[in-house]
Amino acid sequence: MITTAASATQTPSTAQPTGTSAATGLTSDFETFLMMLTAQARNQDPLEPLDSSEYASQLAQFSMVEQQVQTNDLLANLTAALSSVNLDELSNWIGVDVQGATTFRFDGQPQTIFTRPDLGADASVLVIKDSDETEIDRVSVPVSETEFLWAGVDASGNPLPNGTYSATLESYLRDELLSARPAATYSRVVEAQVGAGVVMLTLDSGLVIPATDVVAVRTGA
């Protein structure tokens, strides 16, 4: 699924930005309005002068319209900027496996977890938690290894149900905890959209991350 703003096709030689046209027309109308007020003031009956508050009211109303048109112009420019994102760039993310330190989806198949032990550590433990942040297993892993194949079982060796899990690597030196870092896994991208000027990726685990958090990419199987 790709989320983006719709855009209309225009002929380059004849198309003109709507906001520019509206602003030009508004400026012309405002000058005409001031000329009319000036002429009205010059030709008013000295014995029955116009109420100055009426002038102020008319100017205030016109100013509100001017601000609304400018706001619409800014929104139109913002929409155009978002629409300019290359659709190919978004579509290329769909179905791709991306690596990041995020939760991952377990579907019954062994999951490769990428770890990074702390420098100087003499022992490390991989901590697995479920979607409720409940710890379900602690596995000792060699500090020399950076990849670990998790079979998807609990501490007793019982198969775990399909669902969303997370992994954290704890590094130790002489039984003292040095660090606890989220481990990285591959997750499938199911949606790509633009948010706040950044491409946001929705993973099969349901997590939404910015594309800048991705550290590796591989073609989805």
Side-chain angles (χ1 to χ4, degrees), residues 4 15 60 77 79 87 91 103 124 126 132 138 140 192 196 209 212 216:
T4 185
N77 291 337
T79 300
L87 288 179
S91 63
T103 58
S124 57
L126 191 65
D132 296 325
R138 298 178 64 87
S140 295
I209 64 171
T212 51

Side-chain angles (χ1 to χ4, degrees), residues 85-143:
V85 175
N86 194 329
L87 288 179
D88 289 338
E89 179 183 351
L90 292 180
S91 63
N92 286 340
W93 286 106
I94 307 303
V96 171
D97 290 337
V98 296
Q99 185 189 135
T102 66
T103 58
F104 59 91
R105 182 72 182 175
F106 175 66
D107 58 2
Q109 299 299 318
Q111 175 74 40
T112 301
I113 299 176
F114 299 85
T115 60
R116 187 163 58 92
D118 199 78
L119 293 177
D122 58 13
S124 57
V125 176
L126 191 65
V127 181
I128 306 296
K129 295 182 179 180
D130 61 16
S131 58
D132 296 325
E133 290 296 309
T134 300
E135 184 177 306
I136 58 177
D137 198 9
R138 298 178 64 87
V139 184
S140 295
V141 295
V143 293

Side-chain angles (χ1 to χ4, degrees), residues 34-52:
L34 292 179
M35 291 176 61
M36 292 176 61
L37 282 182
T38 302
Q40 188 178 21
R42 287 176 178 175
N43 296 286
Q44 64 180 324
D45 186 350
L47 300 178
E48 296 182 2
L50 295 175
D51 188 356
S52 60

Side-chain angles (χ1 to χ4, degrees), residues 89-90 93 98-102 184 189 191-203 207-217:
E89 179 183 351
L90 292 180
W93 286 106
V98 296
Q99 185 189 135
T102 66
V189 177
E191 180 181 356
Q193 58 180 315
V194 177
V198 179
V199 175
M200 304 298 294
L201 307 176
T202 301
L203 309 180
L207 191 68
V208 179
I209 64 171
T212 51
D213 284 358
V214 174
V215 297
V217 177

